[in-house]
Amino acid sequence: MEPLSLNVLREKYLSFFESKGHLRLESFPLVPQNDNSLLLINAGMAPLKPYFKGERVPPRKRVTTCQKCVRTLDIDNVGKTSRHGTFFEMLGNFSFGDYFKEEAIPWAWEFLTKVLEIPESRLYPSVYVEDDEALEIWVKTGVPRERITKLGKDDNFWEIGAGPCGPCSEIYFDRGPEFGCGKPDCGPGCDCDRFLEFWNLVFTQYDRQEDGSMPELPHRNLDTGMGLERMAAIMQHKTANYDGDLMQHLIKLGEEISGKTYDADDYSGASRSLRIIADHSRGVYFMISDGILPGNEGREYVLRRLLRRAVFHGRLLGIEGAFLTKFIDEVNAQMGEAYPELLKNVALVKGIVASEEERFSTTLDNGRVYLDE
Ligand code: SER
């Protein structure tokens, strides 16, 4: 298993699914189109809901994407753990009434074991407790039965608010017993750090309604999601999403600007602040370049909060003066090729970031004067 950079991994995934008849689409914008149920796109499948529901005809029944996503539910945990972040990229292959479990499972296995050359012994699938069909397909694909875990609704039934949902099969990477809790029943789904879930194959069959009911969709679909940062960290033999190559470039920039040192094993103090700045600055840039402006409500407030938290943590690190626009240049260097939209309005976005940063810095300065007094 060769260490691969995040950019190479993204390309390998998308071209593998192109070779299986999928149409590669650009990432959809972070602002949901015609969907009031979401503030921001939070999963690869979110912009594709009309195709799952049969409301619109997809450009092809098989599609693959790398979707930019933002989730802020756990914003207070960012920097304090190896996994939490707000902005992330989600790789996915999707079927709208076309292939289903019989193809999705062997293709996932082929990609992991043949393309990425991950040793089979490190991979553990889980299936929904009632889904014997998925279990048998995994066995037929070559996974020993005893390495497949049945899990309940909390782990293996995927839904996010109203919309398309269904039972799922997740794939875990075994980081080794040294990361485990040592309990006799430690396995996929355990809370400890040994088994890392990185790919979710959702067998999207139902349409969750606001009233809780769950009618069947007009056709059976497939929705998969693989967190690119997490997968890159696994491929690079790193423990945390933040320690993969792309995030490390942003963390190094934070180190240079602040003069502080990052410690991958420290989840407090300067290392926590460096992670927060790396994560939030990237999210801020992507959000503004998708047309969101800082404000006091909805997604505009989410943006303002991310930007202000980044500035605040800059202060905690002792950075004097504006620094956030420097991260824009680094994100461009790392991600501009994959997301050409970033490069279209760099000067405009920098101006918006700089003026919001200045306003908030003044507020912080006034607060400090007030506290000093
Ligand atoms: N929708 C599933 C997820 O977000 C798989 O794409 O995990």
Side-chain angles (χ1 to χ4, degrees), residues 9-25 60 62-66 91-95 99-100 103-112 115-116 171 199-201 222-226:
L9 188 57
R10 187 197 297 107
E11 182 53 36
K12 277 193 185 288
Y13 183 97
L14 295 171
S15 50
F16 175 79
F17 282 101
E18 278 181 318
S19 79
K20 303 289 183 198
H22 293 65
L23 176 69
R24 183 195 298 217
L25 296 180
R60 198 182 293 174
R62 298 177 182 186
V63 154
T64 184
T65 61
C66 183
L91 291 162
N93 54 290
F94 306 95
S95 150
Y99 68 89
F100 202 47
E103 289 85 3
I105 288 175
W107 285 346
W109 196 245
E110 183 184 338
F111 179 69
L112 295 174
V115 180
L116 301 187
I171 309 174
W199 199 355
N200 191 4
L201 317 180
L222 198 275
D223 150 32
T224 82
M226 183 200 273

Side-chain angles (χ1 to χ4, degrees), residues 42-45 71 90 94 158 200 202 223-225:
N42 56 6
M45 60 77 74
R71 287 186 191 173
M90 190 183 271
F94 306 95
W158 195 84
N200 191 4
V202 185
D223 150 32
T224 82

Side-chain angles (χ1 to χ4, degrees), residues 48-97:
L48 306 171
K49 282 186 201 168
Y51 302 144
F52 287 117
K53 289 174 154 189
E55 293 166 356
R56 282 180 50 202
V57 180
R60 198 182 293 174
K61 283 186 171 180
R62 298 177 182 186
V63 154
T64 184
T65 61
C66 183
Q67 175 63 46
K68 37 194 178 178
C69 301
V70 172
R71 287 186 191 173
T72 51
L73 208 61
D74 293 319
I75 189 170
D76 291 326
N77 284 329
V78 175
K80 290 185 197 167
T81 73
S82 62
R83 305 175 198 179
H84 287 98
T86 58
F87 177 90
F88 61 100
E89 296 176 78
M90 190 183 271
L91 291 162
N93 54 290
F94 306 95
S95 150
F96 312 113

